[in-house]
Amino acid sequence: VVPAATILHADLDAFSASVEQRDDPALRGRPVLVGGGVVLAASYEARAAGVRSAMSGYEARRRCPHAIVVPVRFDAYVEASKAVFEIFEAMTPLVEPISIDEAFLDVSGALRLLGDPVDIATTLRRRVREEVGLPLSVGIATTKFLAKVASAQAKPDGLLLVPPGGELAFLHPLPVEALWGVGPATRDKLVSRGVRTVGDLAGLPDSVLGRFLGGAVGRHLRSLAWNVDPRRIETGRRDKTIGSQRALGPRRRSSQDLRDIVLAIADRVTARLRKAERLGRTVIVTIRFGDMQKITRSRTLIEPTDDTSVIATVAEALLTGVLDAPDPDSAGLDAHGSTGPPRTVLDARGVTLVGVRLSGLCRPDAVQLGLPFDATGRGAWRAVDDGVDRIRARFGRDAVARAATLHTGPHHEVPGRPSAVDAP
DNA sequence: TCTGGGGTCCTAGGACCC
DNA sequence: TCTGGGGTCCTAGGACCC
C-alpha cells in the first residue's frame, strides 16, 4: 500500500522582509534588509546579491550596497503571523507551529471536504496571498521531514508535491545539508569522509555513521535519508524553556554593570513566565567572554517559582560565581612577585553576552496539587542548594519560603510523590 | 566582518538510590 | 564488607534551527 502524501509544510517566504514590502509599496521589488546590526530577514532581491539572514549588517551592506535597511517591527510580524495561522486552522485542526512563520499541517481528514492535498495547498497559498498579502511556499509529502525539504525546494512562492513512491529519487541527489539537523559541523565531518549527498549517506551502515557522528545522530540521519520519519503532527505544544539574553558589544563592563544587566534580564524572563502562566525550576545563566567562548552555569531550585527576587538572586549568584573568581591563567602573576589583587575572570576575559533561561517549566497548579515536577518526581526534593542559601543570606531566613513554599527535606510527604516505602 | 535573540535535542560524567 | 546492575537527576557543553 502506498501511503498518501497528506502532510503539508507551509513556510512564509522571507517573512519579515515580505511584511515590510507589503506595508510600504516603495520597498517592493527592491533589496530590503530587516534589522541593522544582524539581518533578521533579507528580501529575495537582497538574497540575489548574496545576503543571508543572520549575516552581520556590515557584511550584508557590503554585498548589497543599495539595500534599504528597515527597523524591526516585531508587533507587525506577530499580527501577520496570527492572520496566517487562522487560515491554516480553517483548513484543518491538525496544525503544528514550528516558528512565527512556519507550520506543519496534516490534511488527511480534510480531503473529502476540501479536495486533494494539492488543491488544499493551492487554496492555502491563494488565501494567504489575498487575505494577508504575503507569499507562502508549501511542500507536500508523506512525512514531516520530506514536506519540509520540499517546501525549501519550492521557494520562493512555490508549491511542490513529492509523489508517493518517488521520495528517494527526489531525496538522494540532494546535498547532505538538505537534511534537517545537518549544519556546518556535521556537514564538514561528512564531506571530509566523502559523504556529499543524501544518497551517499543512505548507503552507509549505522555502525559507520555512529562512529562519525555519535549513535543517535547517525541513526536519525540515516532514517531521514530513507524517508523514515514516524513523527505525527503535534498540536498544542508548549515551550520547554523560557529565556532572554543580551549581547553587549566589545565595550568593557564592570562587575556592577553586569549584575544590573542580569537582574534586568531576570525581570524580563519572570514577566514572560508569569504571562505564560508557567513556573520554572532550573535557572540557567549563559555568559559569553571576550573571545566569544560561551559557558553556562545552572542551579535547580527545590520548588519551581516565577518570583523575580528568587530567580534574579540565583542568576546573580551564578554570574558572580564565575566572574569574580580568580582567573586561572593569571594565577602565576602573584607568584612572580607582582602586586595588587589577583585578576578576576571578568578582568582577564571580558564579557560580551549574558543570558538567563528557565527550564523545568510547569503549571502553577502542579505545585498546589503536589504533583511531581518531572516524570518521576525523584530528585525534585534534594537538599537546600547554594542558590537558596544566597537568597536567605540576602533577604532573610524565610525569603524562599515566602516566595515559594519550601519543602524542607527528602522525607517530606507529598501526595503523588514516590515514597521510600514503595522501594523494594 | 565580527558576529542577535529565541528556542530544541543529544551526550556524558557524577551523585544518588535501590 | 565488597561488588554489580539499573535507573533518575543534575550539570555542562555542543550542534542545530528559525
Side-chain angles (χ1 to χ4, degrees):
Chain A
V1 177
V2 179
T6 54
I7 296 180
L8 274 55
H9 180 257
D11 198 346
L12 291 154
D13 301 330
F15 174 53
S16 53
S18 295
V19 173
E20 298 300 339
Q21 288 178 318
R22 177 195 70 177
D23 293 348
D24 182 356
L27 300 179
R28 292 179 197 162
R30 309 197 47 191
V32 174
L33 307 180
V34 180
V38 168
V39 178
L40 177 66
S43 71
Y44 278 84
E45 295 83 359
R47 292 183 193 203
V51 179
R52 297 287 172 266
S53 63
M55 191 175 268
S56 74
Y58 181 95
E59 174 66 11
R61 283 188 291 276
R62 192 185 69 75
R63 294 191 183 200
C64 188
H66 303 298
I68 304 167
V69 181
V70 301
V72 176
R73 292 187 304 141
F74 198 69
D75 292 348
Y77 314 145
V78 170
E79 192 185 329
S81 174
K82 277 186 184 164
V84 171
F85 273 83
E86 277 176 24
I87 296 173
F88 292 169
E89 307 270 357
M91 311 297 279
T92 169
L94 297 180
V95 177
E96 178 180 332
I98 304 173
S99 69
I100 192 169
D101 60 357
E102 227 183 303
F104 288 113
L105 290 76
D106 182 339
V107 299
S108 56
L111 301 178
R112 279 207 310 160
L113 208 58
L114 300 174
D116 71 30
V118 172
D119 295 335
I120 295 173
T122 303
T123 305
L124 212 52
R125 282 168 30 77
R126 178 179 52 74
R127 284 193 60 184
V128 170
R129 169 67 78 180
E130 289 176 1
E131 297 171 30
V132 193
L134 295 175
L136 176 76
S137 293
V138 179
I140 310 171
T142 48
T143 63
K144 283 166 88 168
F145 153 71
L146 202 62
K148 166 122 176 123
V149 175
S151 74
Q153 299 287 313
K155 282 176 175 297
D157 200 12
L159 166 62
L160 181 62
L161 164 73
V162 181
E167 290 94 342
L168 300 184
F170 166 73
L171 199 50
H172 283 187
L174 297 176
V176 283
E177 52 263 43
L179 294 176
W180 210 6
V182 176
T186 306
R187 184 203 54 213
D188 289 350
K189 284 184 202 167
L190 289 170
V191 168
S192 74
R193 292 169 167 99
V195 181
R196 291 191 166 72
T197 67
V198 178
D200 292 341
L201 193 152
L204 295 177
D206 273 345
S207 56
V208 174
L209 274 178
R211 274 208 304 282
F212 293 173
L213 308 173
V217 173
R219 280 191 300 276
H220 178 65
L221 292 182
R222 208 180 100 93
S223 295
L224 295 184
W226 289 101
N227 191 32
V228 173
D229 179 12
R231 293 171 301 168
R232 323 290 301 191
I233 271 60
E234 283 183 62
T235 61
R237 287 182 54 173
R238 289 177 178 278
D239 283 351
K240 295 178 174 171
T241 66
I242 290 179
S244 183
Q245 62 180 55
R246 197 175 138 198
L248 302 172
R251 207 178 98 213
R252 283 279 170 163
R253 310 282 178 150
S254 71
S255 183
Q256 184 59 51
D257 285 349
L258 291 169
R259 283 205 295 272
D260 290 344
I261 290 166
V262 98
L263 294 179
I265 294 171
D267 189 42
R268 194 156 69 222
V269 171
T270 49
R272 285 176 52 205
L273 215 50
R274 289 189 288 270
K275 192 175 173 198
E277 296 187 302
R278 283 290 178 279
L279 305 179
R281 202 165 72 90
T282 300
V283 183
I284 306 160
V285 168
T286 302
I287 301 166
R288 193 180 66 190
F289 296 111
D291 62 1
M292 304 306 281
Q293 190 214 350
K294 256 179 167 174
I295 65 162
T296 62
R297 291 293 179 268
S298 65
R299 188 67 70 186
T300 300
L301 305 176
I302 290 167
E303 283 227 322
T305 181
D306 62 4
D307 186 279
T308 303
S309 71
V310 172
I311 291 170
T313 306
V314 174
E316 186 185 346
L318 290 167
L319 177 83
T320 56
V322 172
L323 298 186
D324 292 350
D327 180 58
D329 296 335
S330 312
L333 291 178
D334 280 3
H336 293 293
S338 77
T339 55
R343 297 179 87 195
T344 64
V345 169
L346 174 60
D347 292 337
R349 306 188 65 183
V351 168
T352 59
L353 176 145
V354 291
V356 177
R357 179 165 297 277
L358 267 292
S359 71
L361 301 190
C362 68
R363 300 185 342 197
D365 56 8
V367 178
Q368 287 159 20
L369 296 171
L371 297 176
F373 304 130
D374 52 53
T376 67
R378 284 175 194 272
W381 308 91
R382 289 275 153 68
V384 173
D385 62 22
D386 307 5
V388 172
D389 285 345
R390 288 197 183 96
I391 294 162
R392 287 179 160 162
R394 183 159 163 155
F395 293 105
R397 284 218 59 81
D398 62 343
V400 177
R402 276 187 279 117
T405 311
L406 180 66
H407 290 268
T408 51
H411 298 298
H412 190 92
E413 282 300 330
V414 172
R417 171 184 157 238
S419 121
V421 295
D422 294 330

